[in-house]
Amino acid sequence: MADIDETTYREWIGRTQVMRERLDAWPVRGLGAALERDFGAGEGDEVPGLGQWLYFVPAVARSRMGEDGHPQRGDFLPPVSLPRRMWAASDISFGRPMRIGEEVEKTARIASVSVKEGKTGVLVFLKVENTYRVDGEQALSEVQTLVYRDDPKPDEAPPPPRPAPDNAAWSEVVETDTALLFRYSAVTFNAHRIHYDAPYARTVEGYPDVVVHGQLTATLLFDALRRNVASQRAKTFGFRAMKPIFVGQPIFLEGAPAESGYELWARDANGHLCLSASVDF
């Protein structure tokens, strides 16, 4: 892989994209069906927590998709030449609720692009700020961190797993299967092939099997929080992807009280930390 310099992508910093969309009911119904939850999907009902990912989906033509299933790079997102892309983290601040039937304006802005040298080679970190407004009032803001890297070498070992906390105040388990992953991909219009194409995930990106979406795990964790904690409206929520979860593996959703909210995490059956999160009220 050729050397990559931050100056290559400097012109993309500050680039913005403004979109407007009516929040229809069907994605909320679809998410509820996938997760076996009744979120309510009538006109005026609140969009459930993290439901912003159901809207403003990247509905590009197949001819404009890259090999990995993502939209081709070089339009809004910079043309990073590294092949593997991961959604590594999100930091979300909640304002007023968004409701089904409302017109929402989303402004996406590329906040930064940085190049670092990691143990596995060059990494490109891209931060995208997304702001959602209803009638000019901010409803939600989110900073997404995307990471680009090269495909793993055949003899490359994954990083050692970290143990999950052992002080859970509650614990739930979700069994994953291909139907769950398909439905979540469908309702978010996510065509990233690692979530449904096992031969691609194994032979191209070096995973042992199809990968559970980080957004799906975060959504399950946020939904479990809602059931296990007295009804409080979240002020902020942030998550960090730590270790992939593969189809067929159970996800343990856990949390414990923290100073101003809760520390949350998802772990696998071996006690390895897969996703860490925090929420403030």
Side-chain angles (χ1 to χ4, degrees), residues 9-247:
Y9 309 118
R10 189 168 293 166
E11 66 181 278
W12 264 265
I13 297 175
R15 183 170 295 199
T16 60
Q17 182 183 65
V18 180
M19 298 162 281
R20 293 174 181 84
E21 184 170 321
R22 182 186 187 276
L23 303 187
D24 292 331
W26 80 263
V28 175
R29 293 196 189 103
L31 180 66
L35 304 188
E36 299 188 87
R37 303 282 183 261
D38 182 7
F39 292 123
E43 195 81 359
D45 286 340
E46 286 189 25
V47 173
L50 309 188
Q52 75 273 14
W53 296 332
L54 304 175
Y55 300 99
F56 301 97
V57 297
V60 302
R62 285 192 299 121
S63 58
R64 294 181 55 212
M65 291 167 54
E67 182 191 13
D68 61 0
H70 285 303
Q72 290 178 350
R73 305 167 190 174
D75 292 331
F76 174 63
L77 296 180
V80 179
S81 56
L82 297 169
R84 183 187 281 196
R85 169 182 155 181
M86 297 170 285
W87 187 337
S90 274
D91 292 287
I92 300 167
S93 295
F94 299 98
R96 61 148 358 247
M98 293 189 290
R99 298 182 180 277
I100 293 172
E102 290 184 322
E103 293 283 342
V104 176
E105 178 183 271
K106 176 186 176 183
T107 301
R109 175 182 174 273
I110 296 179
S112 67
V113 185
S114 59
V115 178
K116 299 180 181 180
E117 186 73 29
K119 294 181 180 179
T120 59
V122 176
L123 302 171
V124 175
F125 291 82
L126 174 67
K127 288 187 180 291
V128 182
E129 297 175 346
N130 296 313
T131 305
Y132 299 78
R133 293 184 175 88
V134 181
D135 294 329
E137 184 181 2
Q138 184 164 307
L140 185 146
S141 65
E142 177 179 10
V143 178
Q144 295 178 357
T145 301
L146 308 178
V147 180
Y148 299 83
R149 56 156 292 181
D150 207 349
D151 288 324
K153 300 177 178 61
D155 59 347
E156 183 178 313
R162 292 174 53 183
D166 59 1
N167 62 328
W170 44 265
S171 181
E172 296 186 4
V173 62
V174 172
E175 300 291 341
T176 64
D177 57 25
T178 54
L180 173 61
L181 271 61
F182 167 78
R183 282 191 153 193
Y184 190 78
S185 287
V187 79
T188 57
F189 211 69
N190 186 337
H192 193 183
R193 291 171 64 183
I194 64 170
H195 302 307
Y196 61 88
D197 186 338
Y200 172 87
R202 292 171 182 144
T203 61
V204 177
E205 299 218 12
Y207 293 114
D209 210 333
V210 168
V211 181
V212 176
H213 317 65
Q215 309 108 287
L216 172 57
T217 303
T219 299
L220 290 166
L221 195 55
F222 196 85
D223 185 51
L225 172 76
R226 181 180 62 86
R227 284 190 303 281
N228 286 278
V229 177
S231 179
Q232 300 182 66
R233 190 172 296 280
K235 181 181 178 181
T236 64
F237 175 81
F239 79 84
R240 303 288 182 272
M242 309 297 293
K243 178 181 180 293
I245 302 171
F246 303 104
V247 69

